[in-house]
């Protein structure tokens, strides 16, 4: 399965940094006396076998309400087209046999705008994918399905966007909503005048952000436009908080400033979007590099990529009021090898951020553990060296449970995509019961302690506006 984004959707980040000076190298590692003592538990990476054999990509991984795991992915369909499949793992990480959610020959499949799987409070499973609505390249809709029997059977797919326009609809977020419902947010192209064959260059209007709720019978409610002008193709993300679902996305204004915004639904209404931080990244095209949000109660974290000032960075900020306001960001990594494609998670004992780097030696996945209040970084881990370059490795996934972090990503070997998984947990030899304990700071100033790498010409993929 090949990514379907055409060559016209080149990385605008290259435009933003073309001709600029070499980025400053990352900050050096903390001094030996600041690193963990011998008795301090460290976290280790081990292989997590996945139930996926052969060609597969576009993974989604979530923690299930029963303490297990749900993994979805796309693979070639029998006789052509594509198939969306999923598998469930128990708390021990062992997988059941994969099942098929849906298959089709008219799907829109690419590395950046991927399907998701979700579970509502009543135990039902939900999934979405993108389906072509007209012959034009970027004419496609979001379709949604629900299963009440653990994935054995699925409902007839429902179109989430009901505007009927032959335009782009995608970059979806899902979250459990109420006793039996699901919240859905997506980027909506109904005001763009149709995508046609020319991509975003032919737009007459702006991409917007919408959200709706669907109940157990797939009845729609709370269908709202939240923001009338957004970045065209950056991923959105959402997380339930004690005050309602918190939704994050990359905003866009008339001056082409594309910073991360957050909005929360209180009752039936969404709050006025506010920027998580005033990066003021002026960008002439979409960087295809959205934010990630995680929440517990009223605590929320947002991680994101920016190249404000011509330097690539990964940052994270915390809110103690369910996303109403955010503190100053913590700078996790910087420099031209930083690709972003972030994932954030928040546990009782730590905050986690996963991101991608690429230099002349190839791609690497990095995972940082921080104190939940972001007061210090506890440990930084190289999760994997990833075969493949550029956009083909897609978006890695991160989920937490039972004191263990699970990571799934896409590799490309000889042009073929495959999924890999890793389990990250405290070393049983350095901490009783492999449970995390308070640690000293590994990185003292919040900047990268990764060795500097050479610049490549294959940074994060972008699309023209």
């Amino acid at each position: 399965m090949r990514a379907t984004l055409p060559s016209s959707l080149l990385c605008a980040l290259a435009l933003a940094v073309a001709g600029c000076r070499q980025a400053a190298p990352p900050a050096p590692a903390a001094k030996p006396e600041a690193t963990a003592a011998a008795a301090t538990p460290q976290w280790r990476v081990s292989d997590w076998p996945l139930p996926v054999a052969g060609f597969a990509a576009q993974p989604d991984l979530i923690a299930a309400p029963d303490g297990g795991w749900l993994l979805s992915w796309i693979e070639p369909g029998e006789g052509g087209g594509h198939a969306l499949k999923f598998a469930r793992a128990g708390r021990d990480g062992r997988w059941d046999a994969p099942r098929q959610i849906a298959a089709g020959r008219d799907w829109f499949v690419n590395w950046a705008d991927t399907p998701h799987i979700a579970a509502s409070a009543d135990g039902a499973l939900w999934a979405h994918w993108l389906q072509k609505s007209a012959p034009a390249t970027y004419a496609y809709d979001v379709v949604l399905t629900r299963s009440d029997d653990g994935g054995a059977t699925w409902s007839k797919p429902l179109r989430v966007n009901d505007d009927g326009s032959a335009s782009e609809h995608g970059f979806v977020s899902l979250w459990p909503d109420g006793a039996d419902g699901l919240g859905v947010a997506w980027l909506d192209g109904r005001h763009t005048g149709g995508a046609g064959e020319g991509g975003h260059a032919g737009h007459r209007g702006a991409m917007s952000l919408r959200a709706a709720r669907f109940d157990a019978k797939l009845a729609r409610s709370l269908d709202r436009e939240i923001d009338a002008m957004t970045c065209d193709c950056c991923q959105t993300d959402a997380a339930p908080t004690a005050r309602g679902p918190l939704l994050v996305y990359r905003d866009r204004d008339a001056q082409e400033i594309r910073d991360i915004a957050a909005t929360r639904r209180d009752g039936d209404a969404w709050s006025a979007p506010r920027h998580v931080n005033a990066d003021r990244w002026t960008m002439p095209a979409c960087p295809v590099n959205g934010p990630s949000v995680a929440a517990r109660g009223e605590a929320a974290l947002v991680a994101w990529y920016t190249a404000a000032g011509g330097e690539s960075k990964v940052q994270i900020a915390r809110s103690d009021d369910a996303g109403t306001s955010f503190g100053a960001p913590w700078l996790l990594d910087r420099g031209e090898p930083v690709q972003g494609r972030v994932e954030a998670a928040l546990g009782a004992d730590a905050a986690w951020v996963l991101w991608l780097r690429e230099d002349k030696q190839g791609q690497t996945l990095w995972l940082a553990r921080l104190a939940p209040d972001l007061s210090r970084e506890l440990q930084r881990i190289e999760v994997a060296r990833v075969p493949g370059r550029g956009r083909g490795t897609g978006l890695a996934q991160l989920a937490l449970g039972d004191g263990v972090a699970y990571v799934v990503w896409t590799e490309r070997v000889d042009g073929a995509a495959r999924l890999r998984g890793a389990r990250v947990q405290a070393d049983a030899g350095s901490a009783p019961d492999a449970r995390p304990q308070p640690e000293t700071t590994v990185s003292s100033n919040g900047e990268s302690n990764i060795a500097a790498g050479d610049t490549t010409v294959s940074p994060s993929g972008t699309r023209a506006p």
Side-chain angles (χ1 to χ4, degrees), residues 299-319:
L301 301 174
V302 177
W304 72 97
Y305 169 90
T306 182
E311 184 179 40
S312 297
K313 306 180 189 75
V314 169
Q315 301 184 128
I316 183 171
R318 178 182 168 100
S319 170

Side-chain angles (χ1 to χ4, degrees), residues 187-279:
L187 297 186
D188 190 286
R190 67 184 65 188
H191 304 312
T192 64
E197 294 295 341
H200 297 159
H203 284 182
R204 296 193 296 272
M207 191 71 73
S208 60
L209 176 69
R210 299 188 69 91
R213 183 185 186 275
F214 295 87
D215 66 17
K217 296 182 179 180
L218 293 179
R220 177 197 310 268
S221 63
L222 303 180
D223 194 333
R224 305 281 190 273
E225 181 178 271
I226 301 172
D227 192 325
M229 186 177 189
T230 71
C231 202
D232 299 271
C233 44
C234 281
Q235 298 79 18
T236 66
D237 198 17
T241 76
R243 301 191 195 178
L246 179 63
L247 175 63
V248 296
Y249 62 100
R250 191 175 294 279
D251 197 13
R252 178 187 178 194
D253 67 14
Q255 288 72 48
E256 298 293 2
I257 295 174
R258 301 182 187 237
D259 287 347
I260 303 304
T263 176
R264 189 182 68 241
R265 199 187 74 203
D266 296 311
D268 293 348
W270 290 89
S271 63
R274 296 182 178 181
H275 285 164
V276 175
N277 187 63
D279 296 328

Side-chain angles (χ1 to χ4, degrees), residues 371-447:
D373 62 359
L374 305 187
S375 60
R376 58 199 177 107
E377 183 172 335
L378 305 175
Q379 187 178 354
R380 187 164 299 204
I381 304 164
E382 183 181 292
V383 176
R385 294 187 176 273
V386 182
R389 287 190 176 272
R391 300 180 301 229
T393 54
L395 305 169
Q397 300 293 303
L398 169 67
L400 302 180
D402 291 339
V404 181
Y406 291 89
V407 181
V408 174
W409 67 94
T410 303
E411 298 181 342
R412 295 196 70 88
V413 179
D414 298 327
R418 66 186 185 192
L419 299 186
R420 289 287 306 276
R423 181 187 289 108
V424 184
Q425 60 194 124
D427 190 336
S430 63
D433 301 322
R435 294 187 180 275
Q437 303 293 328
E439 301 181 25
T440 55
T441 301
V442 173
S443 179
S444 60
N445 58 5
E447 297 183 351

Side-chain angles (χ1 to χ4, degrees), residues 28 70 82 109 420 457:
L70 291 168
H82 302 92
V109 176
R420 289 287 306 276
V457 294

Side-chain angles (χ1 to χ4, degrees), residues 7-277:
S7 58
S8 63
L9 308 185
L10 296 175
C11 178
L13 179 58
L15 298 177
V17 301
C20 69
R21 60 179 173 79
Q22 175 75 24
K31 295 180 180 180
E33 59 266 26
T35 59
T40 301
Q42 293 294 291
W43 290 64
R44 58 181 173 83
V45 179
S46 60
D47 186 54
W48 187 32
L50 301 179
V52 188
F55 198 108
Q58 288 84 35
D60 190 38
L61 177 69
I62 65 168
D66 62 2
W69 309 94
L70 291 168
L71 172 69
S72 68
W73 66 92
I74 287 182
E75 62 183 52
E78 295 182 8
H82 302 92
L84 177 60
K85 295 189 175 182
F86 88 101
R88 183 191 296 268
R91 298 178 76 110
D92 60 359
R94 297 181 183 274
W95 295 100
D96 294 338
R99 293 182 172 183
Q100 182 166 293
I101 298 172
R105 294 174 176 267
D106 59 348
W107 291 10
F108 184 80
V109 176
N110 68 95
W111 72 274
D113 195 353
T114 60
H116 295 300
I117 191 168
S120 49
D122 61 351
L125 301 181
W126 305 71
H128 92 85
W129 62 93
L130 305 178
Q131 187 169 317
K132 294 299 298 297
S133 61
T137 303
Y138 301 111
Y140 54 90
D141 296 327
V142 177
V143 294
L144 182 70
T145 185
R146 173 184 166 108
S147 173
D148 291 316
D149 54 13
T153 60
W154 294 83
S155 68
K156 180 181 178 180
L158 171 77
R159 291 185 188 272
V160 170
N161 56 285
D162 59 355
D163 54 293
S165 68
S167 61
E168 298 174 72
H169 306 83
F171 297 96
V172 173
S173 293
L174 307 177
W175 64 91
D177 198 328
D180 61 0
L182 187 80
V184 185
W186 69 98
L187 297 186
D188 190 286
R190 67 184 65 188
H191 304 312
T192 64
E197 294 295 341
H200 297 159
H203 284 182
R204 296 193 296 272
M207 191 71 73
S208 60
L209 176 69
R210 299 188 69 91
R213 183 185 186 275
F214 295 87
D215 66 17
K217 296 182 179 180
L218 293 179
R220 177 197 310 268
S221 63
L222 303 180
D223 194 333
R224 305 281 190 273
E225 181 178 271
I226 301 172
D227 192 325
M229 186 177 189
T230 71
C231 202
D232 299 271
C233 44
C234 281
Q235 298 79 18
T236 66
D237 198 17
T241 76
R243 301 191 195 178
L246 179 63
L247 175 63
V248 296
Y249 62 100
R250 191 175 294 279
D251 197 13
R252 178 187 178 194
D253 67 14
Q255 288 72 48
E256 298 293 2
I257 295 174
R258 301 182 187 237
D259 287 347
I260 303 304
T263 176
R264 189 182 68 241
R265 199 187 74 203
D266 296 311
D268 293 348
W270 290 89
S271 63
R274 296 182 178 181
H275 285 164
V276 175
N277 187 63

